[in-house]
Amino acid sequence: MPAPGSLRTEAFINTFSLEVSAKAMPALRAEADRIPRGTTISIPYLASEDDDARLAAARTVRALGFEPMPHLSARRIGSRVALERFLERAASEAGVEQCLVIAGDLATPAGPFADSISIIEAGLLERSGIKVVGVGGHPEGHPVMSSDDRWQALEGKCRAIETRGMAPVIITQFAFDADIVLTWLAVLRARGVNVPVLVGVPGPASITRLMRYAAMCGVGASASMLARYGVSIGRLLGTAGPEIFVDRLVQGLTDAHGLVSPHLFPFGGIAPSLDWMEQYRRRASGAGR
């Protein structure tokens, strides 16, 4: 009989979501048979891709048997009409019922939406048939928000989503230190926020690529934090996978942490990320025998 720890590991690793950009849809199509049907595929909002590309990606995701979750970048949306048109097309063309709302990286909004709560409160999501709304979580902090402001904003967004008859889910930025994530989850639950959490997990990639993405996304990547992840600054030409991070995270999770699953960022490619998932799953199954 598998040990309780291995059961928890298998349950954790077998329920995952995946972040795939519009330009990576050919790679997703090539690996689709390795991904369980119904898996949520999160489609990031990249400035280099337009709405047509994002909608084409959502259609591909749906055609492959997965659940598309396009991102809505508030400050990059030019008008209420543009958002309404995108949501209508997403629903009619790809059956989209989930989305992730983020503020976006523009200093000055391009239109009427200054932050993610302004999209939630616009009334367009539920009117377009959206049932699940993702919001961002930042276990390692936020570059421009204090801790108190960050918690208040997260709690307010979850309440607003529920008030409008939709289900909130929190998707965290990827991280390198599992203990920081566990502490953040404990505080989240202590504050009475009991919605599902998808913890960002970096897929296997070169160390230089991981550090580049960390710098782009404002993720902490100090030498001590990377060492806890299993990366030595002295060997930047190597590659690293998240097994140490996932091991520590799963070992630390308890029922008190609520519903938690991994959200995989395939920085090194979709195929290597799925290879890692399969190897980790086999290791977890073998450990329980």
Side-chain angles (χ1 to χ4, degrees):
M1 178 182 293
S6 65
L7 285 173
R8 188 181 301 121
T9 300
E10 288 185 68
F12 181 81
I13 209 69
N14 284 335
T15 305
F16 66 95
S17 54
L18 191 64
E19 187 136 330
V20 183
S21 67
K23 67 180 179 181
M25 286 298 138
L28 178 68
R29 188 180 290 108
E31 303 298 331
D33 289 344
R34 303 171 63 189
I35 303 171
R37 299 290 85 88
T39 294
T40 294
I41 305 296
S42 177
I43 305 168
Y45 192 112
L46 302 181
S48 59
E49 298 169 351
D50 60 16
D51 280 353
D52 285 339
R54 297 179 193 105
L55 289 164
R59 292 194 299 270
T60 297
V61 170
R62 174 61 69 193
L64 292 171
F66 308 129
E67 288 292 330
M69 177 185 261
H71 296 195
L72 303 175
S73 183
R75 293 175 188 164
R76 288 189 175 274
I77 297 172
S79 68
R80 181 183 174 93
V81 170
L83 175 58
E84 189 170 20
R85 184 182 302 120
F86 178 85
L87 290 170
E88 288 175 351
R89 290 187 61 192
S92 63
E93 298 175 18
V96 168
E97 296 182 342
Q98 305 182 49
C99 67
L100 172 69
V101 292
I102 58 174
D105 54 0
L106 287 184
T108 302
F113 305 110
D115 48 28
S116 50
I117 189 68
S118 62
I119 289 182
I120 294 167
E121 293 180 339
L124 297 176
L125 299 180
E126 63 268 36
R127 197 177 306 161
S128 301
I130 295 295
K131 296 178 180 177
V132 176
V133 181
V135 294
H138 301 84
E140 294 181 354
H142 191 282
V144 297
M145 295 179 70
S146 70
S147 177
D148 286 344
D149 288 345
R150 194 166 66 248
W151 284 119
Q152 289 175 16
L154 182 58
E155 291 166 1
K157 284 183 281 191
C158 289
R159 283 195 303 269
I161 292 165
E162 290 176 329
T163 297
R164 293 180 173 277
M166 299 174 290
V169 59
I170 298 170
I171 302 180
T172 79
Q173 184 55 276
F174 68 92
F176 294 122
D177 191 324
D179 287 337
I180 289 177
V181 175
L182 289 166
T183 298
W184 180 86
L185 284 168
V187 174
L188 179 77
R189 302 316 188 194
R191 296 179 72 99
V193 181
N194 296 310
V195 307
V197 175
L198 310 182
V199 173
V201 177
S206 70
I207 295 170
T208 52
R209 177 170 289 188
L210 287 173
M211 293 185 69
R212 184 167 69 249
Y213 275 107
M216 289 169 54
C217 300
V219 173
S222 65
S224 60
M225 189 175 293
L226 288 169
R228 291 176 62 82
Y229 188 75
V231 171
S232 169
I233 294 296
R235 60 177 194 90
L236 293 181
L237 296 180
T239 60
E243 54 274 356
I244 294 175
F245 173 85
V246 174
D247 280 348
R248 178 69 190 96
L249 184 65
V250 175
Q251 289 165 7
L253 286 173
T254 68
D255 291 343
H257 290 107
L259 187 58
V260 180
S261 58
H263 180 70
L264 197 63
F265 291 85
F267 295 136
I270 294 174
S273 293
L274 295 175
D275 290 343
W276 178 86
M277 293 282 284
E278 291 169 0
Q279 292 165 7
Y280 192 89
R281 188 180 294 116
R282 285 196 296 271
R283 193 193 76 174
S285 299
R289 293 193 181 96

